Amino acid sequence: DEIVLTGSDLTIEQIARVAWLNSTVQVSAAARERLHRSREIVDRLVAGETPVYGLNTNLGELKDHRIADSDQATFQRHILLSHASGVGEEHPPDVVRAMMLARLNGMARGASGVQPAVFDTILAMLCEGAHPVVPSRGSIGMSDLAPLAHLALALIGEGQVDFGGSRMSGLDGLAAAGIQPPRLAAKDGL
C-alpha cells in the first residue's frame, strides 16, 4: 500500500488511498535527485549578481529591492504570513492530506527549487499525521495561494495543526510528531 512519488504518475486512486486510508508515502531516488538539482540552481541564482524576481529581490512594487542573504528566512516567512488569508470552514484532514500529497508530487517533479528539507518536512507531517489547519475559502490572485500558505505555516511552526485528535499550535504539533521545522531559505516560501 506504499505510494512512491515520482513527480509524474500520481493517480487519483493513490491520492484517495493516502487521504482516506493513510497509505504510506515514499519518494523515488530519481525524484529526490531532481529536488537536489533544482535547489542547486536556485542557490546559484540567489548568489549571483543578476536580480531574479522573488529569489533575490522582493515582490510586487518592491521588485527592485534586493533581499540580503541574511534576510531570506524572514522574507520567506513573511510571504507565508501575508498569503495565509483564508477564512471560513476548515478543510477536513482527508482533504488536507490530499493537498499535501499533491504539493509533494509537484515538488518531486523538480521544478519548485525548494530545499529538500522543506519537502522532507511536509512528507514527515503527512506520514506522522500532523495535519495543518487549512481554511476552505480565500485567495490572493491564484486559487491555491491562501490554502498552500496555511499548509506551509504549520511547516514552520506557525498556524495550527491537528495531531492525534487534538488541535494545537504548529510548533507544538510538529514537536508532538517528532518533526523539526526547517529553516526557510530563498524560494521556500514561494
Side-chain angles (χ1 to χ4, degrees):
D1 258 0
E2 184 175 87
I3 307 299
V4 178
L5 292 177
T6 66
S8 62
D9 58 359
L10 184 65
T11 67
I12 295 296
E13 178 188 340
Q14 290 171 321
I15 293 171
R17 287 181 17 216
V18 170
W20 293 329
L21 304 175
N22 297 325
S23 291
T24 57
V25 179
Q26 297 292 325
V27 61
S28 73
R32 186 157 297 282
E33 177 60 27
R34 284 192 301 274
L35 282 168
H36 286 280
R37 281 195 321 256
S38 69
R39 186 60 201 190
E40 289 170 357
I41 292 168
V42 167
D43 290 341
R44 189 171 60 248
L45 289 171
V46 169
E49 292 299 317
T50 304
V52 181
Y53 182 79
L55 288 186
N56 56 15
T57 72
N58 211 313
L59 304 172
E61 291 295 318
L62 299 174
K63 68 183 181 300
D64 295 327
H65 297 274
R66 181 92 180 203
I67 303 297
D69 290 343
S70 60
D71 293 333
Q72 276 291 355
T74 301
F75 177 61
Q76 297 304 314
R77 181 178 178 274
H78 286 172
I79 289 172
L80 296 177
L81 291 170
S82 70
H83 286 73
S85 60
V87 297
E89 186 177 324
E90 296 150 1
H91 286 297
D94 60 339
V95 172
V96 173
R97 289 180 63 75
M99 288 172 58
M100 294 170 80
L101 182 65
R103 189 67 203 118
L104 286 166
N105 190 61
M107 291 176 176
R109 283 188 202 114
S112 70
V114 300
Q115 295 181 87
V118 169
F119 178 92
D120 290 335
T121 303
I122 297 171
L123 180 61
M125 290 171 67
L126 179 65
C127 292
E128 295 299 324
H131 304 124
V133 174
V134 179
S136 62
R137 294 190 187 103
S139 177
I140 301 173
M142 298 295 290
S143 64
D144 65 348
L145 288 180
L148 289 178
H150 282 279
L151 188 145
L153 282 183
L155 167 82
I156 61 168
E158 299 283 347
Q160 295 183 315
V161 168
D162 285 328
F163 180 72
S166 297
R167 171 137 331 154
M168 54 194 76
S169 73
L171 193 58
D172 290 342
L174 290 177
I179 300 168
Q180 183 73 25
R183 177 170 167 74
L184 296 181
K187 187 78 164 72
D188 292 337
L190 290 174

